[in-house]
């Protein structure tokens, strides 16, 4: 029900994740103090090629979030074996001199170029999305200002309009909304009587939000509300102005906003520094407009 902001693919690609921590074993009780631990030890070798802990940490960041939650003592051997496989494959490919194959060389060059492009954007974004920038954005948009208008609501979600109309008839006869939600709603919140908690308009799909905010406290929708999720009957349990959010509550949102802006600014900058010519299907150059500018109006000349 609640909408999630869509992150730009490029912003996701350059997002920095916190390294997964792989603890090194502690010395046995009573043992002599060990030498200072190597912060980046070798965890395996393949024909003398070293695999460092930093390689494993980098691999961990590319795993799905669920896999990243595995205990380090389970995750470490899995990733070490993966790196061993990769090194063994690399050695085999080098023996066959695959790098000299024109097609392989072209793909390697393309992959290297992608890394350079991403590194450039990452460096540019990191310089702009700083703690100071986040604090300044918070001070400008949030500090000392009231939060958005919010509604506290319950819902009963069903599959058909007829089911929703029947529920409204039951409510008109005095049925308890929460009990009907537990019995009939297909929403995951049904077990809590359809309770949704406080939300602002932008957190819900428009059809649902408009209906919920139009109700007064204690009112429910007299006609079913249709969204892509199904048919809703909504009960308004109150209106309020949300409190000013703390920086900790919105800093991730601010960082994402600043990252998206920095990515776009970087793209605009590099495009402005090069000559771009785009050709149409007929092979003729297509007139270009500045980023964000409206496209040129078609010519009405009859000449």
């Amino acid at each position: 029900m609640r909408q999630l902001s869509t992150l730009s693919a490029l912003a996701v690609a350059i997002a920095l994740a916190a390294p997964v921590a792989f603890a090194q074993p502690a010395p046995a009780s009573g043992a002599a103090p060990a030498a200072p631990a190597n912060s980046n030890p070798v965890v395996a070798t393949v024909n003398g090629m070293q695999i460092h802990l930093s390689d494993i940490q980098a691999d961990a960041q590319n795993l799905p979030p669920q896999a990243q939650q595995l205990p380090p003592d389970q995750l470490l051997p899995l990733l070490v074996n993966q790196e061993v496989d990769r090194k063994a494959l690399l050695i085999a490919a080098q023996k066959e001199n695959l790098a000299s194959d024109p097609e392989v060389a072209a793909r390697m060059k393309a992959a290297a170029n992608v890394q350079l492009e991403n590194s450039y954007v990452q460096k540019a974004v990191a310089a702009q999305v700083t703690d100071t920038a986040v604090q300044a954005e918070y001070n400008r948009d949030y500090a000392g200002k009231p939060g958005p208008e919010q509604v506290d609501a319950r819902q009963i979600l069903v599959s058909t309009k007829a089911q929703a109309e029947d529920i409204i008839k039951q409510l008109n006869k005095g049925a308890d909304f929460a009990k009907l939600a537990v019995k009939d709603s297909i929403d995951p919140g049904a077990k809590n009587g359809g309770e949704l908690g406080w939300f602002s308009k932008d957190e819900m799909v428009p059809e649902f939000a408009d209906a919920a905010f139009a109700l007064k406290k204690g009112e429910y929708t007299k006609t079913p509300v249709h969204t892509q999720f199904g048919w809703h009957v909504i009960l308004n349990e109150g209106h309020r102005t949300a409190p000013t959010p703390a920086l900790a509550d919105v800093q991730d949102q601010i960082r994402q906003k600043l990252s998206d802006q920095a990515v776009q600014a970087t793209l605009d900058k590099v495009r402005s520094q090069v000559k771009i010519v785009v050709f149409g299907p007929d092979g003729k150059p297509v007139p270009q407009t500045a980023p964000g500018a409206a496209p040129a109006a078609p010519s009405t000349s009859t000449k």
Side-chain angles (χ1 to χ4, degrees), residues 51-77:
I51 301 171
H52 289 267
L53 182 62
S54 59
D55 299 320
I56 305 305
Q57 290 174 324
D59 290 342
Q61 306 317 312
N62 295 321
L63 294 174
Q66 300 89 335
Q68 292 190 28
Q69 301 308 312
L70 287 173
D73 61 343
Q74 294 181 27
L75 190 56
L76 179 60

Side-chain angles (χ1 to χ4, degrees), residues 10 13-14 106-122:
L10 188 54
I14 56 94
R107 290 204 298 266
M108 291 173 64
K109 181 178 180 180
N113 286 343
V114 168
Q115 289 300 317
L116 277 174
E117 295 157 11
N118 286 346
S119 295
Y120 181 89
V121 175
Q122 181 177 337

Side-chain angles (χ1 to χ4, degrees), residues 135-195:
Q135 182 68 59
E137 189 79 3
Y138 174 81
N139 292 343
R140 189 189 73 181
D141 292 344
Y142 296 94
K145 298 179 181 179
E149 291 299 313
Q150 292 186 322
V151 157
D152 183 18
R154 294 179 186 267
Q155 73 156 341
I156 299 172
L157 175 64
V158 291
S159 301
T160 68
K161 183 178 181 181
Q163 289 174 298
E165 290 174 336
D166 181 64
I167 286 169
I168 292 171
K169 289 179 182 178
Q170 295 180 60
L171 291 171
N172 290 340
K173 294 177 181 179
D176 183 87
F177 194 99
K179 291 180 179 179
L180 286 179
V182 172
K183 182 170 70 76
D184 297 326
S185 182
I186 60 175
D187 183 70
K191 62 184 179 182
N192 298 321
E195 177 61 44

Side-chain angles (χ1 to χ4, degrees), residues 268-287:
D268 290 344
K269 175 184 175 182
V270 297
R271 288 175 70 96
S272 71
Q273 296 172 341
V274 295
K275 180 180 180 180
I276 301 170
V277 181
V278 178
F279 300 90
D282 58 1
K284 296 180 180 179
V286 177

